[in-house]
Amino acid sequence: MGRIRFLNAGESHGPALTAIIEGIPANLKLSLDYINTELSRRQKGYGRGGRMKIEKDQAKILSGVRFGYTLGSPITLLIENRDWENWTDIMSVQGQPTEKREIVHPRPGHADLVGGIKYGFKDLRNVLERASARETTTRVAVGAVCKQLLEDIGIKIGSYVVSIGELSVRELLEFIPLEERGKRAEDSEVRIPIPEEDEKFKKLIDLAKQEGESLGGVFEVFATGVPIGLGSYVQWDRRLDGRIAQAMMSIQAMKGVEIGEGFELAKKFGSQAHDEIFYDKERGFYHKTNRAGGLEGGVTNGEPIIVRVAMKPIPTLMRKKSLHSVDIKTKKPFLAAKERSDVTAVPAAAVVGEAMLAFVLADAVIEKFGNDNWIEIKRRVEEYRDYTKSF
Ligand code: EPS
C-alpha cells in the first residue's frame, strides 16, 4: 500500500475539525490560500442548506510546515466550526446529557439507526455528529495539500456534475475536452459544464425544495498528466482502480463508482471496448480512445483518469410527511427526524471526489518515487517520464 496516510477527527457541531497527514515529503511548497480556496469550492452549489451560510471554512496549519515549505513531519490542519457557539451546551465535553436536540426517530438512508444499535446510543445525535458529511471539510483540506504535490509534477485534477435527479448533460459532453469541462463547471452554480442548462437544474432543485424533497446525482472526477505506472497489478490491494473506488465510496451518500466507460463497457464486444495502442516519438505510447479511464490492470496507462460517482439523495426530508420510521424508545411508528440539511450536495460532493482522487494519486506517486525529499522525488519523476517515452 501507499505511504501517505491521514486521519481526521471532529463532530459536525463540535468546536473544530482536524486532520493529520503523514508522509508528505519535505521541501514541498505549500500555500494556505490554495487550501482555503478549495474549502470555499466545497461550500458552493445551488441547493445547499443553512449551514453553509454560517460557515466560512478556513484552515489553520498547526504543524509540519515552515516558511511555506513542508518539513516531512506530520501536517496538522484545523478548521473551526463557526456554528459551534450555538451548540456549546448540546455538544459539551463535560456535564450532564441534555434532551435538547435529541434524535430518536432515525432517518432511513442515514447512519442514525445502524450507528445507534452498533455503538449503543439512545440519542442518535451521537451518530449523526460524526456520520455527517461535514467531515468532508477536512478531506478537502488534505486533498488540497495532495493537489499541490501533484500539480508540481504536472498532474491536474478537476470535476464536474453530469446529472442531478433525472436531469443529465452526459450526452452533451462528448466533444468538450476534460479540462474545459472542469473549467466551465467552476462558473456553474450546479457545477455542470453546459452553462445553458444551469437554469433547468436550478428549477429542479427549487421544485425539490418546495416539496421538501432531496436529490442525488452523478459527478465525474478526472486527472490529467498522470504518468504510466502508478499502482500495480501484483496484489489486489495495490490495484489503483480498486483504491480509487474505495476512496470514492467512502464519501457520505455515494452508492456507485465507475472508471472510464464503466458499466457501458459490459454491453460491448471486445473490439469495441478496448483502447488500441499507438506509438509516437514525441508522445511515447498512447491511445486514441480512453474507454478504460486511464487504468489497465490496476495501473495508470498515461491517459487521463476518469471516475464517475453516483450519489443518492440526502436522507433528511423536510416535507411534512417524511419517511416511515420507528421511535427507538417507544418502538412506536413515527416519521423520520428532520434536521437542517441540503436539498442537494452533488456539486460539493464532486469537490470532495477531487480531494479523494488527489489523495490516492499523491499516495501512489510517493509509493513509486520515494517519500523523503520532494526535490529528489521531482527529479526522479522527470527522469521516469523520459524513460517511459523512450521505452
Ligand atoms: C455539511 C454540514 C451539515 C449538513 C450537511 C453537510 O451541517 P448541519 O447538519 O449543521 O446542517 O448541512 O450534512 C448532511 C446533510 C448530512 O446528512 O450529513 C457540510 O459541511 O458539508
Side-chain angles (χ1 to χ4, degrees), residues 105-323:
H105 306 138
R107 292 162 295 170
H110 213 283
D112 298 345
L113 181 62
V114 288
I117 293 172
K118 179 174 172 65
Y119 290 103
F121 296 136
K122 291 290 185 181
D123 178 0
L124 302 177
R125 175 156 302 282
N126 286 349
V127 178
L128 172 164
E129 286 293 333
R130 182 62 185 158
S132 165
R134 180 84 191 128
E135 176 259 333
T136 60
T137 310
T138 50
R139 299 201 202 198
V140 168
V142 169
V145 171
C146 296
K147 271 188 173 184
Q148 293 182 68
L149 179 148
L150 295 171
E151 280 179 17
D152 207 25
I153 50 171
I155 303 174
K156 283 197 187 133
I157 290 178
S159 72
Y160 47 90
V161 169
V162 177
S163 66
I164 293 181
E166 291 276 7
L167 280 183
S168 172
V169 293
R170 191 165 176 186
E171 305 297 313
L172 307 173
L173 297 179
E174 198 182 335
F175 300 107
I176 308 171
L178 282 174
E179 287 191 4
E180 176 66 21
R181 296 181 199 179
K183 220 191 284 160
R184 289 196 196 174
E186 294 306 310
D187 299 326
S188 159
E189 282 187 82
V190 283
R191 274 200 85 70
I192 55 163
I194 314 284
E196 306 87 81
E197 300 287 307
D198 256 41
E199 284 308 313
K200 252 195 245 168
F201 278 71
K202 283 162 71 177
K203 267 199 193 126
L204 176 67
I205 296 166
D206 287 341
L207 181 74
K209 188 175 180 173
Q210 255 172 38
E211 301 284 316
E213 276 288 0
S214 61
L215 284 164
V218 173
F219 63 85
E220 288 178 11
V221 186
F222 62 88
T224 57
V226 185
I228 297 172
L230 300 183
S232 176
Y233 55 83
V234 303
Q235 198 61 263
W236 69 270
D237 59 351
R238 292 179 184 272
R239 287 181 175 261
L240 202 67
D241 38 14
R243 286 155 67 178
I244 292 169
Q246 194 278 332
M248 294 299 168
M249 286 297 278
S250 78
I251 303 170
Q252 290 80 344
M254 301 311 143
K255 281 295 189 188
V257 179
E258 292 177 78
I259 292 189
E261 290 195 12
F263 277 66
E264 287 299 311
L265 282 178
K267 299 178 190 165
K268 294 184 173 170
F269 282 119
S271 61
Q272 301 303 306
H274 300 296
D275 305 304
E276 291 176 293
I277 301 168
F278 300 88
Y279 182 80
D280 181 291
K281 259 201 173 145
E282 282 301 302
R283 294 175 67 177
F285 293 96
Y286 71 97
H287 311 81
K288 287 183 184 165
T289 53
N290 185 20
R291 299 168 185 133
L295 284 142
E296 290 174 293
V299 182
T300 55
N301 68 1
E303 304 301 340
I305 294 178
I306 304 172
V307 192
R308 189 174 310 101
V309 188
M311 180 182 198
K312 69 181 178 181
I314 285 172
T316 309
L317 303 184
M318 299 311 281
R319 57 184 203 168
K320 225 179 189 169
K321 191 174 177 308
S322 62
L323 297 176

Side-chain angles (χ1 to χ4, degrees), residues 12-13 42 48 51-52 83 107 110 131-134 136-137 314-316 339-342:
S12 179
H13 304 102
R42 194 203 72 97
R48 301 302 305 273
R51 181 72 184 270
M52 290 305 105
D83 204 15
R107 292 162 295 170
H110 213 283
S132 165
R134 180 84 191 128
T136 60
T137 310
I314 285 172
T316 309
E339 273 277 314
R340 176 179 60 197
S341 187
D342 307 306

Side-chain angles (χ1 to χ4, degrees), residues 316-334:
T316 309
L317 303 184
M318 299 311 281
R319 57 184 203 168
K320 225 179 189 169
K321 191 174 177 308
S322 62
L323 297 176
H324 282 290
S325 183
V326 174
D327 184 302
I328 58 164
K329 287 188 176 160
T330 64
K331 310 292 185 285
K332 296 255 161 62
F334 225 98

